[in-house]
Amino acid sequence: MKILGIETSCDETAAAVVELSNKGDLKLLSNIVASSIDLHKVYGGVVPEIAARSHIEHIHPVVKQSLEEADCGWGDIDGIAVTYGPGLGGSLLIGVLTARTLSVLHNKPLYAINHVEAHVYAAFINKTSKKLSGPYKLPSSQPAFPLLGLIVSGGHTQLTFFKNHFDFQTIGRTTDDAVGEAFDKVAKMLALPYPGGPSIERLAQKGDARKFKLPKARMSNKYDFSYSGLKTAVLRTAQKEIGEDYNFSSHLLAERLSEQQKADLAASFCYTAIETLVDKTLAAYEELRPKSVVIAGGVSASAELRRQIAPRLSVEAHIPDIKLCTDNGAMIAALGCYHAVAKQSVNPKSLEISPSLKT
Ligand code: KG4
Ligand code: ZN
């Protein structure tokens, strides 16, 4: 069975084709991503109107290219999966309206996909077609249920326990900023380019992670996260470093900090932000004893996360290839395959977007 996945919840216009074999393997046949990141860089974050306009321009070429790369005509496609939430309203609309139209036009079942849940399904992709461009580092086996998912992105930070497909419960989530958002905001403070995660990690390599002791939030639910305090602690530390008080504007900080001070702040922030994720994942693993742990979402691209978790977790964490960590259509198509098996199609004439869909 071959499913076309369409993703437009934020700043990536993406489409991919994934094939579910009789043996249960998920094979990636194509994976096309057109990012509008460069258009947002000057603003230091995603501008919803710009993202939506960019989706309109890219959606059809991206879908076309994903079918071509997969060597598929419409006759080969068994269904269309699309992200309907959570995400930016204007962005989601483009993907959903495109998928609805294609579903009616080509008479294909339509599957409504939750973006956050889908991030975990990037870890289920275990094969690629030989024609696919770019090397993918894929796992030899798929994660087994029950599984613990750490979903970490620009919009989400949560620990979700999956008993099986479609049967999951979130045991902890952020009460304020998402971890990726904290990376993006600290990067902006240090005048580093958006998205903040990769920029912070690059600079952090030149810094000392133990230079500044930054606080970890104490939460009443031990699996909840909070990142706004850590972000403020970086600001206060930077102000102190240059001999200013808390009134000093964060916009003027970067030009007063030396390269070494910036690198030490980036390293200390990155270390603490990631250590919190690892601490909570480990605690949840010890309590729930799942068969596997999946780490997914944009922040799972972090090398620091991979470095910290490996020696502390007694099972190997399933972390998707970097190209499948950030937003993509493959994860949407992958979860779409299981929707298709469960015959969970929706009406293409009435599917609505759900920008604040909960997981
Ligand atoms: O999953 P994603 O592509 O989009 C959302 O659904 O939000 O995640 C984007 C987030 C951004 O906040 C970005 O700074 C972060 O993932 N990110 C990283 C890294 N690469 C991307 N954070 C830490 N380290 C990275 N290497
Ligand atoms: Zn995402």
Side-chain angles (χ1 to χ4, degrees), residues 6-72:
I6 296 177
E7 154 64 34
T8 62
S9 67
C10 191
D11 55 352
E12 262 100 25
T13 316
V17 179
V18 169
E19 180 174 22
L20 176 64
S21 76
N22 292 337
K23 286 199 321 209
D25 289 323
L26 276 186
K27 190 175 186 181
L28 186 62
L29 303 186
S30 66
N31 187 30
I32 308 293
V33 181
S35 177
S36 60
I37 279 186
D38 286 344
L39 302 175
H40 304 285
K41 272 189 174 146
V42 279
Y43 305 99
V46 174
V47 183
E49 290 79 4
I50 294 177
R53 216 174 306 138
S54 172
H55 287 310
I56 294 175
E57 275 172 37
H58 290 106
I59 189 73
H60 285 297
V62 163
V63 167
K64 189 162 169 266
Q65 230 181 307
S66 75
L67 292 175
E68 280 167 10
E69 188 177 58
D71 240 342
C72 285

Side-chain angles (χ1 to χ4, degrees), residues 17-256:
V17 179
V18 169
E19 180 174 22
L20 176 64
S21 76
N22 292 337
K23 286 199 321 209
D25 289 323
L26 276 186
K27 190 175 186 181
L28 186 62
L29 303 186
S30 66
N31 187 30
I32 308 293
V33 181
S35 177
S36 60
I37 279 186
D38 286 344
L39 302 175
H40 304 285
K41 272 189 174 146
V42 279
Y43 305 99
V46 174
V47 183
E49 290 79 4
I50 294 177
R53 216 174 306 138
S54 172
H55 287 310
I56 294 175
E57 275 172 37
H58 290 106
I59 189 73
H60 285 297
V62 163
V63 167
K64 189 162 169 266
Q65 230 181 307
S66 75
L67 292 175
E68 280 167 10
E69 188 177 58
D71 240 342
C72 285
W74 279 107
D76 304 310
I77 297 293
D78 297 290
I80 300 170
V82 65
T83 303
Y84 77 110
L88 301 170
S91 291
L92 287 167
L93 254 185
I94 313 302
V96 166
L97 288 177
T98 304
R100 282 174 54 176
T101 310
L102 291 171
S103 159
V104 172
L105 201 64
H106 299 288
N107 196 22
K108 304 289 174 192
L110 181 65
Y111 304 104
I113 304 295
N114 177 325
H115 176 91
V116 178
E117 182 189 356
H119 265 300
V120 169
Y121 282 78
F124 281 76
I125 296 170
N126 60 334
K127 295 213 157 26
T128 59
S129 92
K130 293 199 175 65
K131 287 186 72 184
L132 199 66
S133 48
Y136 282 80
K137 211 169 148 251
L138 294 181
S140 51
S141 64
Q142 291 170 314
F145 291 104
L147 74 81
L148 175 67
L150 171 70
I151 307 163
V152 277
S153 73
H156 303 276
T157 305
Q158 61 190 63
L159 275 165
T160 302
F161 187 70
F162 288 71
K163 277 200 201 142
N164 210 328
H165 298 300
F166 318 124
D167 183 5
F168 54 81
Q169 199 190 351
T170 292
I171 57 168
R173 63 177 82 241
T174 182
T175 54
D176 42 60
D177 292 352
V179 59
E181 190 181 352
F183 268 92
D184 296 337
K185 287 177 176 170
V186 169
K188 197 170 181 178
M189 200 189 293
L190 299 177
L192 302 174
Y194 175 85
S199 324
I200 296 248
E201 276 216 329
R202 226 171 294 126
L203 184 60
Q205 283 168 8
K206 297 181 199 149
D208 176 3
R210 280 158 305 188
K211 174 81 190 188
F212 303 112
K213 178 119 186 68
L214 298 170
K216 288 187 189 166
R218 280 175 197 272
M219 310 302 291
S220 52
N221 167 11
K222 63 183 175 193
Y223 297 131
D224 275 347
F225 301 87
S226 164
Y227 277 99
S228 78
L230 176 58
K231 179 193 64 192
T232 308
V234 175
L235 172 63
R236 298 286 175 260
T237 308
Q239 288 165 328
K240 204 164 144 212
E241 275 295 291
I242 58 164
E244 297 285 353
D245 71 5
Y246 64 91
N247 287 312
F248 189 80
S249 167
S250 62
H251 305 292
L252 304 173
L253 267 176
E255 62 197 50
R256 296 267 305 270

